[in-house]
Amino acid sequence: MSSFSHPPDYLIQGVLAGNRRVLARTITLFESRNPDHLRLAAQVLQGLAPHGGNALRLGITGVPGVGKSTLIEGLGLHLVERGHRVAVLAVDPSSRVSQGSIMGDKTRMEELSRRTDAFVRPSPSGGTLGGVAARTREAMVACEAAGFDVILVETVGVGQSETAVKGMVDFFLLLMLTGAGDELQGIKRGIMELADVVAITKADGENRELAERARKAYENALALFRFDREVPVLTTSALNGEGLAPLLDSLFRLYEADKATGALFNRRKAQQVDWFWELVEEGLLDRFRYAPKVASLMDETLAGVEKGEVFPGHAARKLLDRFTDEGG
Amino acid sequence: MSSFSHPPDYLIQGVLAGNRRVLARTITLFESRNPDHLRLAAQVLQGLAPHGGNALRLGITGVPGVGKSTLIEGLGLHLVERGHRVAVLAVDPSSRVSQGSIMGDKTRMEELSRRTDAFVRPSPSGGTLGGVAARTREAMVACEAAGFDVILVETVGVGQSETAVKGMVDFFLLLMLTGAGDELQGIKRGIMELADVVAITKADGENRELAERARKAYENALALFRFDREVPVLTTSALNGEGLAPLLDSLFRLYEADKATGALFNRRKAQQVDWFWELVEEGLLDRFRYAPKVASLMDETLAGVEKGEVFPGHAARKLLDRFTDEGG
């Protein structure tokens, strides 16, 4: 990757100037696991970080078939029309497997991709959820530094990735289909409770009435489940564009309100600290797991714990002592 | 605590014989943080562990005022009548603070406490949630070894402790009040999604109709939110005993079904392994946090991360390297 022989300043300045090609290269650098690139990436990131933070960060999720990318493209085009600059990123740890991953299909969001005020980036391929999420966070900082003021982070409706995305966005939009049948089975426990706004998709044609009924049902259900804030439920159609403007309005209302009270700023500060601790935890577990003196006992230990022969507390203490060389 | 000068076998045999006084002493031993007691506790626990596991383990939660202890006492008496032996334990990390903690009031569950087939134990006082939860798990093993075949684990409706209890019980019973007003504000995000059974309490007198309406509302809401299993919603009255028998029936139906399919066994195996990893994580974080070479940099690091001056990834890597003495 010869482009990375540029000094960090070339990338930093290019991103700050809003150059989409340099932005794309910079994100590719962030995604590289090549040890030579890590130091450069760190320098570039450190240079960009002070220029990040000026965007509405929105997580968007929903099961496959809910019409996620069509809706995101619709929202993106609307936003561009309103004078915003929109970046679309994705967190999809399954994208290394070939099963219909998000934005894997190159024909998706074609129209939005062509706009100069939009930037569409598929999920980094490969890696653990933690790795993919970390690289998406870094990409988000780069996009913000490049002047994009709305970041849409797309994710698959499988639970774990939503929790990861919740830690990097300001708000979460949950897309739902009409009908309470099999289509809904894919939504995992807990996702409903992450949502700040719910949108029923494909509310057009014959589906319109059903969508309105679903909207009311979710509104009632959410009133019973969610006491931390009122969760707007809207119907939308990417086909005819209905509902997209009210959806954006309600998102910007939340954004402006939380900016005014300072809640947004405080949440982001807490997200940074949480992220630090997540990385510490992940790093500690990695180093623990792969320490030879621990690894050599792991299979045996886990088997004993599973069978109930060894109490988890004793097993944990024993391995921890080996790891830190205390007692034993 | 002179009683702990007994050899471990005295405690083990006493518990296995179902002696409630020895059981109480054993649990007190488990709760002791005295280093001299830790080794004895480990021996006793290891001796009891193979005799645990033969109980229906039920977590019970609900906001203060929902009538938790009255309902638990009612359920307990019913169970004893049916020939069961019932132990009631509590996880309440707030009990060190004097604010109306669960089972703090000694007059509570008076009638149940007097039954020879029941054992009521308040929450261990003091300590972190993790510590309290660990000691409750250990107490649970002791109760099972003593022949109690239903363990009720009471917890406060504050979110974190429910997650901890979920990891040690087979099923979760959520108690709810009628009326969708202020009384409900205390239930935290996520708790509804942990429930396997929901019971509306105080469904008596004038409240009866309201309770039935609440029951239907929750049933509808849960059908939209929960796809992993059907969640029964029942109305109960501890005052006149109505609904208690059906509630127990539905819990035992779940228990028998999950035993028959092996789901119960597999879940418990997974809980043991999860618990091991939780303890490893907790232990790693503790040792990391208190390592002098880490602790000396922590305030400065967190301040930089909060202000956005240092990227969490770099801060984490730097401290991890110091902890494990790699690079630096």
Side-chain angles (χ1 to χ4, degrees), chain B residues 222-234:
Chain B
L222 282 159
L224 283 175
F225 277 82
R226 289 286 301 273
F227 314 105
D228 49 328
R229 93 186 302 162
E230 204 182 307
V231 180
V233 185
L234 299 99

Side-chain angles (χ1 to χ4, degrees), chain B residues 96-142:
Chain B
R96 66 207 139 135
V97 203
S98 61
Q99 47 182 25
S101 76
I102 43 180
M103 301 203 288
D105 186 340
K106 275 181 193 146
T107 60
R108 291 173 62 191
M109 302 195 202
E110 235 182 21
E111 198 181 338
L112 186 62
S113 304
R114 279 197 303 264
R115 300 294 175 104
T116 50
D117 285 332
F119 179 78
V120 179
R121 179 86 185 186
S123 184
S125 62
T128 60
L129 171 58
V132 170
R135 285 174 265 162
T136 304
R137 281 185 202 248
E138 293 172 354
M140 185 163 75
V141 170

Side-chain angles (χ1 to χ4, degrees), chain B residues 169-189:
Chain B
V169 298
D170 301 318
F171 304 103
F172 224 106
L173 168 63
L174 173 64
L175 305 182
M176 296 293 274
L177 286 165
T178 55
D182 293 336
E183 311 94 315
L184 297 178
Q185 302 285 340
I187 282 281
K188 287 290 183 302
R189 267 164 99 136

Side-chain angles (χ1 to χ4, degrees), chain A residues 45-46 189-190 192-194 221 225-228 269 273 275 281 287 306 309 311 314 320-321 324, chain B residues 45-46 187 189-190 192-194 221 225 228 269 273 281 287 306 309 311-312 314 320-321 324:
Chain A
L45 196 54
Q46 205 64 47
R189 268 163 99 137
M192 191 60 92
E193 308 213 356
L194 293 179
F225 278 82
R226 291 286 300 274
F227 314 105
D228 49 329
K269 257 186 8 186
V273 173
W275 185 16
E281 242 177 76
R287 289 170 197 224
E306 260 209 354
E309 287 164 5
F311 223 71
H314 307 149
L320 286 167
D321 284 346
T324 54
Chain B
L45 195 54
Q46 205 63 48
I187 282 281
R189 267 164 99 136
M192 191 59 91
E193 308 213 356
L194 292 179
F225 277 82
D228 49 328
K269 259 188 5 188
V273 173
E281 242 177 77
R287 290 171 198 224
E306 260 209 354
E309 286 164 5
F311 223 70
H314 306 149
L320 286 167
D321 284 345
T324 54

